[in-house]
Coordinates of all heavy atoms in Angstrom, one line a residue:
M15 N -37.8 -41.0 3.2 CA -37.6 -42.2 2.6 C -36.3 -42.2 2.0 O -35.8 -41.4 1.2 CB -38.7 -42.6 1.6 CG -38.6 -43.9 0.8 SD -39.6 -44.2 -0.4 CE -41.1 -44.6 0.7
P16 N -35.5 -43.3 2.3 CA -34.1 -43.4 1.9 C -34.1 -43.9 0.3 O -34.9 -44.5 -0.1 CB -33.4 -44.5 2.8 CG -34.5 -45.2 3.3 CD -35.8 -44.3 3.3
L17 N -33.1 -43.4 -0.3 CA -32.9 -43.8 -1.6 C -32.3 -45.2 -1.7 O -31.5 -45.6 -0.8 CB -31.9 -42.9 -2.5 CG -32.3 -41.5 -2.7 CD1 -31.2 -40.8 -3.3 CD2 -33.7 -41.5 -3.6
R18 N -32.7 -45.9 -2.8 CA -32.4 -47.4 -2.8 C -32.1 -47.7 -4.2 O -32.9 -47.5 -5.1 CB -33.4 -48.4 -2.3 CG -33.0 -49.7 -2.1 CD -34.0 -50.5 -1.3 NE -35.4 -50.3 -1.8 CZ -36.0 -51.2 -2.6 NH1 -35.3 -52.2 -3.1 NH2 -37.2 -51.1 -3.1
L19 N -30.9 -48.1 -4.6 CA -30.5 -48.5 -6.0 C -31.0 -49.9 -6.2 O -30.7 -50.8 -5.5 CB -28.9 -48.6 -6.0 CG -28.4 -48.8 -7.4 CD1 -28.8 -47.7 -8.4 CD2 -26.9 -48.9 -7.3
V20 N -31.9 -50.0 -7.1 CA -32.6 -51.2 -7.6 C -32.3 -51.8 -8.9 O -32.4 -53.0 -9.0 CB -34.1 -51.2 -7.3 CG1 -34.4 -50.9 -5.8 CG2 -34.7 -50.2 -8.2
R21 N -32.0 -51.0 -9.8 CA -31.7 -51.5 -11.2 C -30.8 -50.6 -11.9 O -30.8 -49.4 -11.8 CB -33.1 -51.6 -12.0 CG -33.0 -52.1 -13.3 CD -34.3 -52.5 -13.8 NE -34.8 -53.6 -12.9 CZ -35.8 -54.4 -13.1 NH1 -36.6 -54.0 -14.1 NH2 -36.3 -55.2 -12.2
I22 N -30.0 -51.2 -12.6 CA -28.8 -50.6 -13.4 C -28.9 -51.0 -14.8 O -29.0 -52.3 -15.0 CB -27.4 -50.7 -12.9 CG1 -27.2 -50.1 -11.5 CG2 -26.4 -50.3 -13.9 CD1 -25.8 -50.4 -10.9
A23 N -28.8 -50.1 -15.7 CA -28.7 -50.5 -17.2 C -27.2 -50.2 -17.6 O -26.7 -49.2 -17.5 CB -29.6 -49.7 -18.1
D24 N -26.6 -51.3 -18.2 CA -25.3 -51.1 -18.7 C -25.2 -52.1 -19.8 O -25.5 -53.3 -19.6 CB -24.2 -51.4 -17.6 CG -22.8 -51.0 -17.9 OD1 -22.3 -51.3 -19.0 OD2 -22.1 -50.5 -17.1
L25 N -24.4 -51.7 -20.8 CA -24.3 -52.7 -22.0 C -23.3 -53.8 -21.6 O -23.5 -54.9 -22.0 CB -23.7 -52.0 -23.1 CG -24.6 -51.0 -23.8 CD1 -23.9 -50.2 -24.9 CD2 -25.9 -51.7 -24.2
D26 N -22.4 -53.5 -20.6 CA -21.6 -54.6 -20.2 C -22.1 -55.1 -18.8 O -21.7 -54.7 -17.6 CB -20.2 -54.0 -19.8 CG -19.2 -55.1 -19.6 OD1 -19.5 -56.2 -19.2 OD2 -17.9 -54.9 -19.7
V27 N -23.0 -56.1 -18.8 CA -23.9 -56.5 -17.7 C -22.9 -57.2 -16.6 O -23.1 -56.9 -15.4 CB -25.1 -57.5 -18.1 CG1 -25.6 -58.1 -16.9 CG2 -26.0 -56.7 -18.9
E28 N -22.1 -58.0 -17.1 CA -21.2 -58.6 -16.1 C -20.3 -57.8 -15.4 O -20.1 -57.9 -14.2 CB -20.3 -59.8 -17.0 CG -21.2 -60.9 -17.4 CD -22.1 -61.5 -16.5 OE1 -21.7 -61.8 -15.2 OE2 -23.4 -61.7 -16.7
R29 N -19.7 -56.8 -16.0 CA -18.9 -55.9 -15.3 C -19.7 -55.0 -14.3 O -19.4 -54.9 -13.2 CB -18.3 -54.8 -16.4 CG -17.4 -53.7 -15.6 CD -16.9 -52.7 -16.7 NE -18.1 -52.1 -17.3 CZ -18.2 -50.9 -17.4 NH1 -17.5 -50.0 -17.1 NH2 -19.3 -50.4 -18.1
A30 N -21.0 -54.6 -14.7 CA -21.8 -53.9 -13.7 C -22.2 -54.7 -12.6 O -22.1 -54.4 -11.4 CB -23.0 -53.3 -14.5
R31 N -22.5 -56.0 -12.8 CA -22.8 -56.9 -11.7 C -21.6 -57.0 -10.7 O -21.8 -57.2 -9.5 CB -23.2 -58.2 -12.2 CG -24.6 -58.3 -12.7 CD -25.1 -59.9 -13.0 NE -26.4 -59.8 -13.6 CZ -26.7 -60.3 -14.7 NH1 -25.8 -61.0 -15.6 NH2 -27.9 -60.2 -15.3
S32 N -20.4 -57.1 -11.3 CA -19.4 -57.3 -10.4 C -19.1 -56.0 -9.5 O -18.5 -56.1 -8.6 CB -18.1 -57.6 -11.2 OG -17.6 -56.3 -11.9
V33 N -19.5 -54.9 -9.9 CA -19.5 -53.6 -9.2 C -20.5 -53.6 -8.1 O -20.3 -53.3 -6.9 CB -19.4 -52.4 -10.1 CG1 -19.5 -51.1 -9.3 CG2 -18.2 -52.4 -10.9
V34 N -21.8 -53.9 -8.5 CA -22.9 -53.7 -7.6 C -23.3 -54.8 -6.7 O -24.0 -54.7 -5.8 CB -24.2 -53.1 -8.4 CG1 -23.8 -51.8 -9.0 CG2 -24.7 -54.1 -9.4
G35 N -22.9 -56.1 -7.2 CA -23.3 -57.3 -6.3 C -24.7 -57.7 -6.8 O -25.4 -57.3 -7.7
P36 N -25.0 -58.7 -6.0 CA -26.4 -59.5 -6.3 C -27.6 -58.7 -5.9 O -28.6 -59.1 -6.3 CB -26.1 -60.8 -5.6 CG -25.3 -60.5 -4.5 CD -24.2 -59.4 -5.0
A37 N -27.6 -57.9 -5.0 CA -28.7 -57.1 -4.6 C -29.3 -56.2 -5.6 O -30.4 -55.7 -5.3 CB -28.4 -56.4 -3.2
V38 N -28.6 -55.9 -6.6 CA -29.1 -54.9 -7.6 C -29.4 -55.6 -8.9 O -28.4 -56.3 -9.4 CB -28.2 -53.7 -7.7 CG1 -28.6 -52.7 -8.9 CG2 -28.0 -53.0 -6.5
T39 N -30.5 -55.4 -9.7 CA -30.7 -56.0 -10.9 C -30.0 -55.2 -12.0 O -30.0 -54.1 -12.0 CB -32.2 -56.1 -11.2 OG1 -32.9 -56.8 -10.2 CG2 -32.5 -56.6 -12.6
V40 N -29.2 -55.9 -12.8 CA -28.5 -55.2 -13.9 C -29.1 -55.8 -15.2 O -29.2 -57.0 -15.4 CB -27.0 -55.6 -13.9 CG1 -26.3 -54.9 -14.9 CG2 -26.5 -55.2 -12.5
V41 N -29.4 -54.8 -16.1 CA -30.0 -55.1 -17.4 C -29.2 -54.4 -18.5 O -28.5 -53.6 -18.1 CB -31.4 -54.7 -17.5 CG1 -32.4 -55.4 -16.5 CG2 -31.7 -53.1 -17.1
N42 N -29.4 -54.8 -19.7 CA -28.6 -54.2 -20.7 C -29.5 -53.2 -21.6 O -29.0 -52.7 -22.7 CB -27.8 -55.2 -21.7 CG -28.9 -56.0 -22.4 OD1 -30.1 -55.9 -22.4 ND2 -28.4 -56.8 -23.3
D43 N -30.8 -52.9 -21.2 CA -31.5 -52.0 -21.9 C -32.1 -51.0 -20.9 O -32.9 -51.4 -20.0 CB -32.6 -52.9 -22.5 CG -33.5 -52.0 -23.3 OD1 -33.5 -50.8 -23.3 OD2 -34.4 -52.7 -24.0
A44 N -31.7 -49.8 -21.0 CA -32.2 -48.7 -20.2 C -33.8 -48.6 -20.2 O -34.3 -48.1 -19.2 CB -31.6 -47.4 -20.6
R45 N -34.4 -49.1 -21.2 CA -35.9 -48.9 -21.2 C -36.5 -49.8 -20.2 O -37.6 -49.6 -19.7 CB -36.2 -49.1 -22.6 CG -36.0 -48.0 -23.5 CD -36.5 -48.2 -25.0 NE -36.4 -47.0 -25.7 CZ -35.4 -46.8 -26.5 NH1 -34.3 -47.6 -26.7 NH2 -35.4 -45.5 -27.1
Q46 N -35.8 -50.9 -19.8 CA -36.3 -51.8 -18.6 C -36.3 -51.0 -17.3 O -37.1 -51.3 -16.5 CB -35.6 -53.0 -18.6 CG -35.7 -53.9 -19.8 CD -34.9 -55.2 -19.6 OE1 -34.4 -55.5 -18.5 NE2 -34.5 -55.8 -20.8
V47 N -35.4 -50.1 -17.2 CA -35.4 -49.2 -16.0 C -36.6 -48.3 -16.0 O -37.3 -48.2 -15.1 CB -34.0 -48.5 -15.8 CG1 -34.2 -47.5 -14.7 CG2 -32.9 -49.4 -15.7
I48 N -36.7 -47.6 -17.2 CA -37.7 -46.6 -17.4 C -39.1 -47.2 -17.2 O -40.1 -46.7 -16.7 CB -37.7 -45.9 -18.8 CG1 -36.3 -45.1 -18.8 CG2 -38.8 -45.0 -19.1 CD1 -36.0 -44.7 -20.2
A49 N -39.4 -48.5 -17.7 CA -40.7 -49.1 -17.7 C -41.0 -49.6 -16.4 O -42.2 -49.9 -16.1 CB -40.7 -50.2 -18.7
N50 N -40.0 -49.7 -15.4 CA -40.4 -50.4 -14.1 C -41.2 -49.3 -13.3 O -40.7 -48.3 -13.0 CB -39.0 -50.7 -13.4 CG -39.3 -51.4 -12.2 OD1 -39.9 -51.0 -11.3 ND2 -38.6 -52.6 -12.1
L51 N -42.4 -49.8 -13.0 CA -43.4 -48.9 -12.2 C -42.8 -48.6 -10.8 O -43.2 -47.5 -10.2 CB -44.7 -49.6 -12.1 CG -45.4 -49.7 -13.5 CD1 -46.6 -50.3 -13.4 CD2 -45.5 -48.3 -14.2
D52 N -42.0 -49.4 -10.3 CA -41.4 -49.2 -8.8 C -40.2 -48.2 -8.8 O -39.9 -47.8 -7.6 CB -41.0 -50.6 -8.3 CG -42.2 -51.5 -8.1 OD1 -43.2 -51.1 -7.8 OD2 -42.0 -52.7 -8.3
I53 N -39.8 -47.8 -10.0 CA -38.8 -46.8 -10.0 C -39.2 -45.4 -10.1 O -39.9 -45.2 -11.1 CB -37.6 -47.2 -11.1 CG1 -37.0 -48.6 -10.7 CG2 -36.6 -46.1 -11.3 CD1 -36.1 -49.1 -11.9
D54 N -38.8 -44.6 -9.2 CA -39.4 -43.1 -9.2 C -38.2 -42.1 -9.8 O -38.6 -41.2 -10.4 CB -39.6 -42.6 -7.8 CG -40.6 -43.4 -7.2 OD1 -41.6 -43.9 -7.9 OD2 -40.4 -43.9 -6.0
I55 N -36.9 -42.5 -9.7 CA -36.0 -41.6 -10.1 C -35.0 -42.3 -11.1 O -34.4 -43.5 -10.8 CB -35.0 -41.1 -9.0 CG1 -35.9 -40.4 -7.9 CG2 -33.9 -40.3 -9.4 CD1 -35.4 -40.1 -6.7
V56 N -34.6 -41.7 -12.2 CA -33.7 -42.2 -13.1 C -32.5 -41.3 -13.2 O -32.7 -40.1 -13.3 CB -34.3 -42.4 -14.6 CG1 -33.4 -42.8 -15.6 CG2 -35.5 -43.4 -14.6
V57 N -31.3 -41.9 -13.1 CA -30.0 -41.1 -13.1 C -29.4 -41.5 -14.5 O -29.0 -42.5 -14.6 CB -29.2 -41.5 -11.9 CG1 -27.8 -40.6 -12.0 CG2 -29.7 -41.2 -10.6
E58 N -29.3 -40.4 -15.3 CA -28.6 -40.5 -16.6 C -27.2 -40.2 -16.5 O -26.8 -39.3 -16.1 CB -29.2 -39.6 -17.6 CG -28.8 -39.7 -19.0 CD -27.5 -38.8 -19.3 OE1 -27.6 -37.6 -18.8 OE2 -26.6 -39.3 -19.9
L59 N -26.3 -41.3 -16.8 CA -24.9 -41.2 -16.7 C -24.2 -41.5 -18.1 O -23.1 -42.0 -18.3 CB -24.3 -42.2 -15.7 CG -24.9 -41.9 -14.3 CD1 -24.5 -43.0 -13.3 CD2 -24.3 -40.5 -13.8
I60 N -25.1 -41.5 -19.2 CA -24.6 -41.9 -20.5 C -23.7 -40.8 -21.2 O -22.5 -41.2 -21.6 CB -25.7 -42.1 -21.5 CG1 -26.6 -43.3 -21.0 CG2 -25.3 -42.4 -23.0 CD1 -27.9 -43.3 -21.7
G61 N -24.0 -39.7 -21.0 CA -23.2 -38.6 -21.7 C -23.6 -38.3 -23.1 O -24.4 -39.0 -23.7
G62 N -23.2 -37.2 -23.6 CA -23.7 -36.7 -25.0 C -25.1 -36.4 -25.1 O -25.8 -36.2 -24.0
Y63 N -25.6 -36.3 -26.2 CA -27.0 -35.9 -26.3 C -27.8 -36.7 -27.4 O -28.8 -36.2 -27.9 CB -27.1 -34.3 -26.6 CG -26.2 -33.8 -27.6 CD1 -26.6 -33.9 -29.0 CD2 -25.1 -33.2 -27.3 CE1 -25.7 -33.3 -30.0 CE2 -24.2 -32.8 -28.3 CZ -24.6 -32.7 -29.7 OH -23.7 -32.3 -30.6
G64 N -27.3 -37.8 -27.7 CA -28.0 -38.6 -28.7 C -29.0 -39.4 -28.0 O -30.2 -39.1 -27.6
I65 N -28.6 -40.8 -27.6 CA -29.6 -41.6 -26.9 C -29.8 -41.1 -25.5 O -30.9 -41.4 -25.0 CB -29.0 -43.1 -26.9 CG1 -30.0 -44.1 -26.4 CG2 -27.6 -43.1 -26.0 CD1 -31.1 -44.3 -27.2
A66 N -28.9 -40.3 -25.0 CA -29.2 -39.8 -23.6 C -30.5 -38.9 -23.7 O -31.3 -39.0 -22.8 CB -28.1 -38.9 -23.2
K67 N -30.6 -38.1 -24.7 CA -31.8 -37.3 -24.8 C -33.0 -38.1 -24.9 O -34.1 -37.8 -24.2 CB -31.6 -36.3 -26.0 CG -32.9 -35.5 -26.3 CD -32.9 -34.9 -27.6 CE -34.2 -34.3 -28.0 NZ -34.4 -34.1 -29.4
T68 N -33.1 -39.2 -25.8 CA -34.1 -40.0 -26.0 C -34.6 -40.6 -24.7 O -35.8 -40.6 -24.4 CB -33.8 -41.0 -27.0 OG1 -33.5 -40.4 -28.3 CG2 -35.0 -41.9 -27.3
L69 N -33.6 -41.2 -24.1 CA -34.0 -41.9 -22.7 C -34.4 -40.9 -21.7 O -35.3 -41.2 -21.0 CB -32.8 -42.7 -22.3 CG -32.4 -43.9 -23.2 CD1 -31.1 -44.5 -22.7 CD2 -33.6 -44.9 -23.3
V70 N -33.9 -39.8 -21.6 CA -34.3 -38.8 -20.5 C -35.8 -38.4 -20.9 O -36.7 -38.3 -19.9 CB -33.4 -37.6 -20.5 CG1 -34.0 -36.4 -19.9 CG2 -32.1 -37.9 -19.8
L71 N -36.0 -38.1 -22.2 CA -37.4 -37.7 -22.5 C -38.4 -38.8 -22.3 O -39.5 -38.7 -21.7 CB -37.5 -37.2 -24.0 CG -36.8 -35.9 -24.2 CD1 -36.8 -35.6 -25.7 CD2 -37.5 -34.8 -23.5
E72 N -38.0 -40.1 -22.6 CA -38.9 -41.2 -22.3 C -39.1 -41.5 -20.8 O -40.2 -41.7 -20.4 CB -38.3 -42.5 -22.8 CG -38.3 -42.6 -24.3 CD -37.7 -43.8 -25.0 OE1 -37.5 -44.8 -24.2 OE2 -37.4 -43.8 -26.2
A73 N -38.0 -41.2 -19.9 CA -38.3 -41.3 -18.5 C -39.2 -40.2 -18.0 O -40.0 -40.5 -17.1 CB -36.8 -41.2 -17.8
I74 N -39.1 -39.0 -18.5 CA -40.0 -38.0 -18.1 C -41.4 -38.3 -18.5 O -42.3 -38.1 -17.8 CB -39.5 -36.5 -18.6 CG1 -38.2 -36.3 -18.0 CG2 -40.5 -35.6 -18.4 CD1 -37.5 -35.0 -18.6
A75 N -41.6 -38.7 -19.7 CA -42.9 -39.1 -20.2 C -43.5 -40.1 -19.4 O -44.7 -40.4 -19.3 CB -42.8 -39.5 -21.7
A76 N -42.6 -41.1 -18.7 CA -43.1 -42.2 -17.9 C -43.3 -41.6 -16.6 O -43.7 -42.6 -15.6 CB -42.2 -43.3 -18.0
G77 N -43.1 -40.5 -16.3 CA -43.5 -39.8 -15.0 C -42.2 -40.0 -14.0 O -42.6 -39.9 -12.7
K78 N -41.1 -40.3 -14.5 CA -39.9 -40.4 -13.5 C -39.3 -39.0 -13.3 O -39.4 -38.2 -14.2 CB -38.8 -41.2 -14.2 CG -39.4 -42.6 -14.7 CD -39.9 -43.5 -13.7 CE -40.3 -44.9 -14.3 NZ -41.0 -45.7 -13.4
H79 N -38.7 -38.9 -12.2 CA -37.8 -37.8 -11.9 C -36.5 -38.2 -12.6 O -36.1 -39.3 -12.7 CB -37.5 -37.5 -10.5 CG -38.8 -37.2 -9.6 ND1 -39.4 -35.9 -9.7 CD2 -39.6 -38.0 -9.0 CE1 -40.4 -35.9 -9.0 NE2 -40.6 -37.3 -8.6
V80 N -35.7 -37.2 -13.1 CA -34.5 -37.6 -13.8 C -33.4 -36.6 -13.4 O -33.5 -35.4 -13.1 CB -34.6 -37.3 -15.4 CG1 -33.2 -37.5 -16.1 CG2 -35.7 -38.2 -16.0
V81 N -32.1 -37.3 -13.0 CA -31.1 -36.7 -12.5 C -30.0 -36.7 -13.6 O -29.8 -37.9 -14.1 CB -30.6 -37.2 -11.2 CG1 -29.2 -36.6 -10.6 CG2 -31.6 -37.1 -10.1
T82 N -29.3 -35.7 -13.9 CA -28.3 -35.8 -14.9 C -27.2 -34.6 -14.6 O -27.7 -33.5 -14.1 CB -28.7 -35.7 -16.3 OG1 -27.6 -35.9 -17.2 CG2 -29.4 -34.3 -16.7
A83 N -26.0 -34.9 -14.9 CA -25.0 -33.8 -14.9 C -24.5 -33.6 -16.3 O -23.5 -33.2 -16.5 CB -24.0 -34.1 -13.8
N84 N -25.2 -34.1 -17.2 CA -24.8 -34.1 -18.7 C -24.9 -32.7 -19.3 O -26.0 -32.3 -19.6 CB -25.8 -35.1 -19.3 CG -25.3 -35.3 -20.9 OD1 -24.7 -34.5 -21.4 ND2 -25.8 -36.5 -21.4
K85 N -23.8 -32.0 -19.2 CA -23.8 -30.7 -19.6 C -24.2 -30.5 -21.1 O -24.7 -29.5 -21.6 CB -22.5 -30.0 -19.2 CG -22.3 -29.8 -17.7 CD -21.0 -29.1 -17.4 CE -19.9 -30.1 -17.2 NZ -20.1 -31.3 -16.4
A86 N -23.6 -31.4 -22.0 CA -23.9 -31.3 -23.3 C -25.3 -31.5 -23.6 O -26.0 -30.7 -24.5 CB -23.1 -32.4 -24.1
L87 N -26.0 -32.4 -23.0 CA -27.3 -32.6 -23.3 C -28.2 -31.4 -22.8 O -29.0 -30.9 -23.5 CB -27.8 -33.8 -22.3 CG -29.4 -34.1 -22.3 CD1 -29.9 -34.6 -23.6 CD2 -29.7 -35.2 -21.4
L88 N -27.8 -30.8 -21.6 CA -28.6 -29.5 -21.1 C -28.2 -28.4 -22.0 O -29.2 -27.6 -22.4 CB -28.2 -29.4 -19.7 CG -28.7 -30.5 -18.8 CD1 -28.2 -30.1 -17.3 CD2 -30.2 -30.6 -18.8
A89 N -27.0 -28.3 -22.4 CA -26.8 -27.0 -23.4 C -27.5 -27.2 -24.7 O -27.9 -26.1 -25.2 CB -25.2 -27.1 -23.6
V90 N -27.5 -28.4 -25.3 CA -28.2 -28.5 -26.6 C -29.7 -28.6 -26.4 O -30.4 -28.0 -27.3 CB -27.5 -29.6 -27.4 CG1 -28.2 -29.9 -28.7 CG2 -26.1 -29.4 -27.5
H91 N -30.3 -29.3 -25.6 CA -31.5 -29.6 -25.5 C -32.4 -29.2 -24.2 O -33.4 -29.8 -23.9 CB -31.8 -31.2 -25.7 CG -31.4 -31.7 -27.1 ND1 -32.0 -31.3 -28.2 CD2 -30.3 -32.4 -27.4 CE1 -31.3 -31.9 -29.2 NE2 -30.3 -32.6 -28.7
G92 N -31.6 -28.4 -23.4 CA -32.2 -28.0 -22.1 C -33.7 -27.5 -22.1 O -34.3 -27.8 -21.3
N93 N -33.8 -26.6 -23.0 CA -35.2 -26.0 -23.1 C -36.2 -27.0 -23.4 O -37.3 -27.0 -22.9 CB -35.2 -24.8 -24.0 CG -34.4 -23.6 -23.7 OD1 -34.3 -23.4 -22.5 ND2 -34.1 -22.8 -24.6
E94 N -35.9 -27.9 -24.3 CA -36.9 -29.0 -24.7 C -37.2 -29.9 -23.5 O -38.3 -30.3 -23.3 CB -36.3 -29.7 -25.9 CG -37.1 -30.9 -26.3 CD -36.6 -31.7 -27.5 OE1 -35.6 -31.2 -28.0 OE2 -37.2 -32.7 -27.9
I95 N -36.1 -30.2 -22.8 CA -36.3 -31.1 -21.6 C -36.9 -30.4 -20.6 O -37.8 -31.0 -19.9 CB -34.9 -31.7 -21.2 CG1 -34.3 -32.5 -22.4 CG2 -34.9 -32.4 -19.9 CD1 -32.9 -33.0 -22.2

């Protein structure tokens, strides 16, 4: 099954919309991505280990697969995640 980008969370909604176009829903709250039952994979691109950790753990708790290249998050909280 091919991957399909369906929802993006970005605090700057208009900027994100200008990049992805009208076919992708853009929201300003990452929890709307996590709560969506049709989304199987969440890609974390926030960086750091504050809110990124919280959202990654919430995504895992919601049964999502999580992809991250966030080295700070993995170095500090990798065992917990």
